[in-house]
Amino acid sequence: MPELPEVETIRSGLSEHILGQTVQRVSIYSPKLRYPVDLNPEQLQGQKIQSVNRRGKYLLFTLERQQILCHLGMSGRLWLIKNDQAKRQKHDHVDIQLETHCLRYHDPRRFGLLLTINPGEQHVLLKNLGPEPLTHDFNTRYLQKILARRQTAIKQVIMNNHIVVGVGNIYANEALFRAGIHPMIACDTLSEKEIQSLVSEIKKTLKSAIKSGGTTLKDFTDIRSQPGYFSQKLLVYGRHGKPCLRCNHTLEFIQQQGRRSFYCGVCQLFRSS
DNA sequence: CGGTCTACCTGAAAGC
DNA sequence: TGCTTTCAGGTAGACC
């Protein structure tokens, strides 16, 4: 579900409310996520939350003696609920009871994860991640080098979190449209100008989505159940059959690696290699 | 190493 | 109405 802007929206919302709070109790109702939840309630109890950070689509909660790594997968959600409203529903898997609120992990499809990181440990899931797209480490020269030694469609490259983190199906489609690049073009045929434009549009799209509080398609909300408003600014995602907002040509979609790619055949001309 | 495909899981929507 | 099929925001790991 959530891509970088949605995770960032959750991170900043949580930060405002839970920093400095002490864990009162941890309840694991169902440990069956992508990996079994390995949080240790006894160890966590009494620890203060010092920071909430984000790496790609991962959230990292730093406590006094441990860190908690969290990924929301496709359908994971984190809610902050007031203590008196804490009645459990289907697919609520873990509660972290704090002083004023309960931090609740909910995930119908169970593709997410909640894992412990011990001090000094470099978690294997974080080890081989690419640069953050909103830092200078993600730049034209970097992407140029990567693209030159690969032979696959450009969309797959920008969705590969070993190359750049945080770009999922929605923002890959949006950024490619804004850069005028067809999703199926072989990545090693992009010009320097196109690569520059793509890097720039990825950054701009993500920043703009963060500003809007993320994208709500079906059910994304922030920790207070407010939807994100970037859905109203989507130019191609989910708009197949509708007119391109730039040239009026009817938008199309193709299946690519099992995922849908939405594009405008006029604004994003295909060329074979 | 790089590229492609599958599996993990549930629910909503579409198709019949 | 109800049964079946398809699809969904992610990504590690198996395979070639």
Side-chain angles (χ1 to χ4, degrees), chain A residues 17 30 109 141 153 185 205 247 256:
Chain A
H17 293 95
S30 163
R109 292 180 70 185
R141 264 187 41 219
I185 287 184
T205 307
C247 77
Q256 215 177 344

Side-chain angles (χ1 to χ4, degrees), chain A residues 13 20 43 48 66 88 109 142 154-155 197 205-206 218 227 256 263-264:
Chain A
Q43 280 179 7
K48 257 192 183 69
Q66 278 162 330
R88 225 169 20 105
R109 292 180 70 185
Y142 166 79
I154 185 60
K155 177 157 177 267
S197 168
T205 307
L206 293 175
K218 272 175 61 182
Q256 215 177 344
Y263 66 98
C264 170

Side-chain angles (χ1 to χ4, degrees), chain A residues 103 154 199 242:
Chain A
L103 179 58
I154 185 60
V199 167
K242 296 185 177 152

